[in-house]
Amino acid sequence: MKNENALTIIEALSALAQPTRLGVFRALVAVEPQAIPAGELARRSVVPQNTMSAHLAVLMRAGLVASERRGRSILYRASLPAFQALVTSLVRDCCDGRPELCAPLLSQFSPCHVSKGALP
């Protein structure tokens, strides 16, 4: 694994290694392709809005969340391509060229049902 790729993976996993940020990311994935304002995410997570802004900044630096301005509001959504790249990098590196080692892991991936808009 290249050092640059390892740093990207570490930053993304570090961003998700905090309960509020993980919950926010999961909530954003659950409503994809819609976006949610920071204030609504803060309300759902029961954290102050300035704290939520700090959490969102960490997720954005890791590339896992994107923002867009609509009028006076800033809306946030999960960056699914970045998350897919993260998971793909982890799985690609796991088998060291021996796909039979990853077969049990890959068999666990299937379409799943997500409760829309709920934080865990």
Side-chain angles (χ1 to χ4, degrees):
M1 179 183 307
K2 293 180 181 176
N3 192 37
E4 184 176 304
N5 190 37
L7 293 175
T8 301
I9 291 170
I10 290 166
E11 185 173 18
L13 292 176
S14 295
L16 294 172
Q18 196 281 339
T20 301
R21 289 193 296 268
L22 178 60
V24 165
F25 182 75
R26 292 176 74 185
L28 291 172
V29 168
V31 300
E32 192 56 39
Q34 296 175 342
I36 303 176
E40 176 64 16
L41 289 166
R43 185 188 64 73
R44 291 182 187 190
S45 301
V46 192
V47 299
Q49 195 161 349
N50 62 337
T51 302
M52 180 54 64
S53 294
H55 286 306
L56 288 166
V58 170
L59 290 166
M60 288 178 64
R61 275 193 303 278
L64 296 170
V65 169
S67 67
E68 66 180 82
R69 182 172 286 283
R70 284 196 199 153
R72 294 178 58 196
S73 298
I74 299 176
L75 303 176
Y76 295 87
R77 69 172 19 100
S79 177
L80 296 182
F83 186 67
Q84 180 181 2
L86 169 67
V87 173
T88 299
S89 291
L90 291 171
V91 172
R92 182 177 295 129
D93 292 340
C94 87
C95 66
D96 195 29
R98 296 175 50 207
E100 70 277 6
L101 296 177
C102 283
L105 170 68
L106 297 176
S107 70
Q108 298 297 311
F109 291 106
S110 65
C112 60
H113 171 72
V114 177
S115 176
K116 293 292 180 189
L119 289 177

